[in-house]
Amino acid sequence: FVHASNPEDEMFVVNFNERVQVGLPRETPFTNRFDQLELAIRRETVAGMTALYDAMFEGLDRVGAGARERRRSS
């Protein structure tokens, strides 16, 4: 997904299992660097039940905090 995106697009990672955690460090809420995104995804251990809805809410909150203008596809 990251490789197929516009290189200027910034992304974030929300990891979740029984709890929700953002994957990137607090000082880097968004990034377009593949290495940082991959590390953020691999950091969390897969275990237990999932907190899918909590993760979705965290993601929506984070999208709203972005500084860049969102573009709509035509």
Side-chain angles (χ1 to χ4, degrees):
F1 180 76
V2 174
H3 287 295
S5 299
N6 181 326
E8 294 182 22
D9 286 348
E10 292 186 322
M11 299 177 194
F12 61 91
V13 174
V14 177
N15 293 318
F16 62 96
N17 50 30
E18 292 179 339
R19 60 189 170 82
V20 175
Q21 281 194 312
V22 293
L24 294 168
R26 185 177 301 274
E27 64 274 5
T28 310
F30 295 87
T31 186
N32 61 351
R33 290 186 43 199
F34 175 76
D35 60 330
Q36 289 179 336
L37 293 164
E38 183 178 25
L39 181 63
I41 291 168
R42 293 179 184 272
R43 184 173 301 158
E44 188 64 35
T45 304
V46 178
M49 300 184 66
T50 64
L52 177 61
Y53 292 121
D54 293 338
M56 289 172 42
F57 285 121
E58 177 68 33
L60 290 171
D61 284 345
R62 187 150 296 239
V63 166
R68 294 191 178 201
E69 182 179 326
R70 283 170 259 151
R71 290 182 275 163
R72 295 180 184 236
S73 299
S74 326

